Amino acid sequence: MSQVRNQLVIYDFDWSMADQDTDRWIFEVNSIALRRRLKDNPDNMQWTDLVADCCEKLHAAGGTREDIENALRIMPFHPAMIRAIKKLKSDSVPNTTLLCLSNANQVFIDTILEHRGLTDAFDEIITNPATWRSDGLLQVRRRIDPYGPQHSCQIGCSPNMCKGEELEAYLKRKGSEGFFDRMVYIGDGKNDFCPVVRLREQDVVLARVGRGLEERIKEEGAASGLKARVIYWAGAWEVEEVFPKLGQAESGEWFQDDM
């Protein structure tokens, strides 16, 4: 295979880059009652709307911006993943662009990346918008306005975002810079399947074991025309182990023992 000089590494956030789910974590730390509300969803709300609703209820009960930010700063994030990202970004061959594509929200991701010293590593973060109101309420919104045009995904993405369409739009925005010799997708959830099936034969999927993405790849991958190579991983140390191999000149050599 030809030499890889330019690659895009795409990260999901919850349970992929980080070792927890941000939406659930902040309420596990700050309000068990609201964590239960997230789990039971008694009003059958769309997930992003439900998180926004729980943030409003936490604020009404006296929860502060500091409570949420402190919870995010202590959320599990493996040192191996931090090392892996920093090393990947600092290596000059191949040149690596990092993209975060997540169903979390801007405030959660920004807070954690800043705390972990990774803010400057990412070219762009594509996620649900979120802002702090002056009184400390965290206002979370869907990336796709429920009252505006909706995405056209037929693969099963949630209403707030189609990750596959977002990835394609990102590549289009990059223009001539958006051609990458290789794309690498690190994910875990069922909604990561949509961007994964849009990857090419020379691309790579790092799918976390025991979660929805692995299930969908095994059950639907062949029928959906999945072309990319798939590597399964359980812990961040395995991602750190794989990343240096992505810099090898011949991109296909290191897969043989992993399939």
Side-chain angles (χ1 to χ4, degrees):
M1 297 180 69
S2 60
Q3 186 175 22
V4 174
R5 294 184 172 86
N6 192 27
Q7 68 178 359
L8 176 67
V9 175
I10 308 136
Y11 259 103
D12 171 49
F13 195 77
D14 295 330
W15 289 117
S16 297
M17 191 189 316
D19 268 339
Q20 251 293 346
D21 179 283
T22 47
D23 293 336
R24 294 169 174 84
W25 174 262
I26 64 163
F27 297 111
E28 289 179 15
V29 172
N30 288 298
S31 172
I32 295 301
L34 291 174
R35 177 63 180 89
R36 172 54 62 183
R37 179 173 175 78
L38 273 182
K39 183 174 180 62
D40 294 346
N41 193 6
D43 299 322
N44 196 30
M45 300 175 71
Q46 189 273 337
W47 181 261
T48 310
D49 298 343
L50 178 60
V51 172
D53 176 73
C54 287
C55 285
E56 291 175 3
K57 286 178 167 54
L58 180 64
H59 180 262
T64 66
R65 173 174 177 168
E66 289 74 23
D67 292 334
I68 293 175
E69 289 179 335
N70 288 337
L72 293 168
R73 292 184 185 110
I74 64 171
M75 197 181 89
F77 199 115
H78 204 290
M81 194 64 77
I82 298 172
R83 292 193 302 264
I85 293 171
K86 289 183 175 180
K87 178 67 163 57
L88 187 63
K89 188 61 181 176
S90 66
D91 286 346
S92 58
V93 179
N95 178 61
T96 299
T97 300
L98 283 158
L99 170 68
C100 181
L101 181 56
S102 169
N103 265 309
N105 69 67
Q106 195 75 46
V107 165
F108 288 175
I109 295 172
D110 284 349
T111 302
I112 293 172
L113 291 183
E114 180 180 7
H115 180 64
R116 301 298 179 178
L118 296 174
T119 299
D120 295 337
F122 288 84
D123 178 58
E124 191 172 329
I125 297 169
I126 300 173
T127 188
N128 295 299
T131 53
W132 292 107
R133 204 169 68 182
S134 60
D135 63 353
L137 170 65
L138 180 60
Q139 298 176 299
V140 180
R141 303 179 304 282
R142 302 188 198 186
R143 181 169 180 85
I144 297 179
D145 188 328
Y147 302 106
Q150 302 301 292
H151 65 67
S152 58
C153 180
Q154 301 297 313
I155 299 179
C157 286
S158 56
N160 64 290
M161 181 195 304
C162 170
K163 285 189 166 185
E165 290 183 6
E166 294 288 352
L167 176 57
E168 290 186 346
Y170 170 81
L171 294 172
K172 186 176 181 180
R173 288 196 300 275
K174 298 294 286 185
S176 60
E177 297 178 5
F179 180 79
F180 296 95
D181 300 318
R182 175 174 57 213
M183 292 187 282
V184 182
Y185 194 101
I186 301 97
D188 75 287
K190 290 184 177 180
N191 59 5
D192 293 312
F193 186 70
C194 183
V196 160
V197 297
R198 300 175 192 238
L199 299 180
R200 308 157 301 177
E201 290 183 358
Q202 66 264 42
D203 299 329
V204 185
V205 180
L206 298 181
R208 197 162 198 174
V209 298
R211 303 190 63 82
L213 178 57
E214 178 191 19
E215 179 183 343
R216 292 199 70 180
I217 287 173
K218 291 181 176 178
E219 293 182 358
E220 306 171 48
S224 299
L226 176 64
K227 301 180 183 69
R229 299 271 189 169
V230 179
I231 304 296
Y232 294 104
W233 61 281
W237 67 272
E238 293 169 293
V239 177
E240 183 182 21
E241 184 179 56
V242 164
F243 272 0
K245 300 176 183 179
L246 294 176
Q248 293 176 358
E250 295 298 325
S251 60
E253 292 179 352
W254 60 278
F255 293 110
Q256 296 175 4
D257 295 333
D258 296 297
M259 297 301 291

